[in-house]
Amino acid sequence: MNQPIWRRWLEIWLVSTKLGFTSFGGPIAHLGYFQHEYVQKRNWLDQKSYADLIALCQFLPGPASSQVGISIGIIRGGVIGGVISWLGFTMPSVVILMLAASFLTGHNVEQEGIISGLKIVAVAVVAQAVLGMGKTLTPDRPRLAIGIGSSVVLLVWPYTFVQIGVILLAALLGIFMYRQVSAEEESELPIAKWKGGAIISLSLFFVLLAALPLLSWKFSSTWFDMMDTFYRAGAIVFGGGHVVLPILQQEVVPHLLSKEQFLAGYGAAQAVPGPLFTFSSYIGTVVKGWSGGVVATLAIFLPSFLLVMGVLPFWNGIRRNKNIRGALLGVNASVVGILLASLYDPVFVSAVSNGHDFALALICFGLLVYWKVPSWVVVILCVAGRFILNYT
């Protein structure tokens, strides 16, 4: 941590950009890629701190994986580090989807071999995350029971509001069982104490949430409509990218773009790496060209920045509270259960339809976990393998 700040920023840019080009499979898979790159490989933070960040971002609205990436960037390189981390992770899919909007609008962009191969990679990545995080976060029977119970509940009732309820119940159980656990193993996250800036960020979050609908109504402008729609989607959606899609469809079809255009963009969004929230880049480009894509992208991610910047400076103090500490132990265990449930549905059930798919998923898992092959190499090998299977 003694290296010059510009070296840290450059390192954040290089690592996050690599993740932006290789992190396929949705938010749960992204957390697996992050764990491998930031925790296991580079040791920028320990497993427990990483799990605490996941727990925090699960409580916040918006794209959880992007918020975790922003948080790690802030911890490593301050606010500018957070911006760089977001840019690196997000820009590849933004550019691809804006190009898709420019050249593929109205066409069927689904390429079965590519998409199915990427889904199989996600199976291996999520399984790796469950294995790694499970060892650390469910080391005893009570937390193992919380993890398994969380998974069972979400498999039976796979709804976003149930997931929020599971997290809250796990927090209560954690307070009851672990509030007296010693805090001697707690590691301080190196977060700057810019609490004045944090209060400004939280205030701006709520001001914009209230003001943008009024501006949209008063000026009847497509630009204000877009800013209001995408900011609101980023500010109130829990559960990640897949949850935001039906909300955006209700908001933008048919008065901003056609159902056919929307579905074409959805197909493209499934085939690119990075956060699914960049689907907003496609919609904005269809509506108002490249400038519209930029505005839509900034509007949907801005709430995440404001919330993370508003909460992180208080995070070390929050974690020292014995009730919060116990709640985090419970929530972290439930995160393992949520990952396990997600490994089955939607990851496994949408990716594996026969023995060939499962065999390919096993190969990817072995390459990632035991042969330590870089994730981007596994992505390429899996897609190539899926193409081969299509012609055999």
Side-chain angles (χ1 to χ4, degrees):
M1 293 296 290
N2 293 324
Q3 64 184 148
I5 189 65
W6 68 266
R7 291 284 299 271
R8 284 192 232 161
W9 291 341
L10 178 60
E11 189 179 21
I12 292 168
W13 170 255
L14 293 175
V15 176
S16 61
T17 301
K18 184 183 79 169
L19 288 168
F21 277 108
T22 58
S23 295
F24 294 92
I28 302 300
H30 298 162
L31 296 177
Y33 288 113
F34 288 176
Q35 181 205 31
H36 173 74
E37 192 68 38
Y38 292 132
V39 180
Q40 295 179 347
K41 185 176 179 180
R42 301 183 180 276
N43 199 32
W44 284 3
L45 68 169
D46 58 38
Q47 180 67 70
K48 188 178 185 307
S49 296
Y50 178 67
D52 286 350
L53 284 181
I54 294 176
L56 168 66
C57 295
Q58 290 282 357
F59 274 117
L60 298 176
S65 62
S66 294
Q67 289 169 320
V68 170
I70 293 168
S71 300
I72 293 173
I74 291 175
I75 291 168
R76 184 70 177 173
V79 174
I80 294 177
V83 174
I84 293 171
S85 179
W86 173 77
L87 284 172
F89 182 59
T90 307
M91 284 306 103
S93 58
V94 168
V95 173
I96 293 170
L97 288 173
M98 290 173 73
L99 287 171
S102 299
F103 299 106
L104 300 177
T105 300
H107 297 274
N108 181 11
V109 298
E110 183 170 329
Q111 300 292 324
E112 188 59 38
I114 295 176
I115 291 178
S116 58
L118 299 179
K119 288 180 179 179
I120 290 171
V121 172
V123 174
V125 170
V126 176
Q128 181 191 34
V130 171
L131 181 65
M133 297 182 71
K135 291 179 180 179
T136 303
L137 303 181
T138 56
D140 52 45
R141 288 184 177 180
R143 277 180 280 184
L144 186 61
I146 292 174
I148 292 174
S150 299
S151 187
V152 169
V153 170
L154 288 172
L155 287 169
V156 176
W157 296 287
Y159 308 110
T160 301
F161 70 90
V162 175
Q163 177 176 318
I164 296 172
V166 164
I167 293 172
L168 292 174
L169 179 59
L172 292 174
L173 290 173
I175 293 172
F176 177 74
M177 293 187 293
Y178 293 105
R179 62 181 300 180
Q180 301 303 330
V181 170
S182 172
E184 61 185 6
E185 296 183 1
E186 290 284 351
S187 57
E188 287 281 307
L189 295 177
I191 304 169
K193 308 300 184 188
W194 25 272
K195 294 184 178 180
I199 293 173
I200 292 173
S201 294
L202 290 175
S203 300
L204 185 58
F205 170 83
F206 290 106
V207 168
L208 288 173
L209 190 61
L212 285 175
L214 296 175
L215 292 172
S216 176
W217 170 76
K218 180 175 178 59
F219 293 102
S220 299
S221 164
T222 302
W223 289 107
F224 281 115
D225 284 346
M226 287 176 52
M227 286 188 285
D228 172 38
T229 295
F230 290 107
Y231 184 87
R232 190 157 25 90
I236 66 174
V237 169
F238 289 89
H242 291 288
V243 180
V244 82
L245 290 173
I247 292 178
L248 287 178
Q249 183 175 8
Q250 294 173 3
E251 293 281 349
V252 303
V253 177
H255 69 279
L256 290 180
L257 74 168
S258 69
K259 183 178 181 181
E260 290 73 24
Q261 290 173 318
F262 186 90
L263 293 176
Y266 176 75
Q270 297 298 316
V272 300
L276 196 54
F277 267 51
T278 55
F279 183 37
S280 60
S281 309
Y282 172 92
I283 297 174
T285 305
V286 171
V287 177
K288 281 288 188 179
W290 282 65
S291 57
V294 171
V295 168
T297 303
L298 294 176
I300 202 168
F301 281 102
L302 180 57
S304 299
F305 266 102
L306 296 176
L307 286 171
V308 167
M309 290 171 60
V311 174
L312 266 184
F314 302 100
W315 190 232
N316 283 323
I318 291 172
R319 293 201 307 164
R320 285 193 293 268
N321 181 282
K322 63 182 181 179
N323 289 321
I324 297 295
R325 191 167 61 244
L328 284 173
L329 291 176
V331 170
N332 289 340
S334 73
V335 167
V336 177
I338 293 169
L339 280 170
L340 184 59
S342 298
L343 174 60
Y344 175 72
D345 185 10
V347 176
F348 187 90
V349 296
S350 66
V352 178
S353 57
N354 53 50
H356 291 171
D357 293 340
F358 189 49
L360 194 55
L362 284 176
I363 293 171
C364 293
F365 180 79
L367 292 175
L368 283 170
V369 176
Y370 300 109
W371 278 268
K372 310 300 181 183
V373 177
S375 56
W376 65 270
V377 176
V378 176
V379 169
I380 294 173
L381 292 175
C382 187
V383 172
R386 196 63 186 84
F387 268 117
I388 293 171
L389 289 175
N390 280 350
Y391 293 100
T392 57

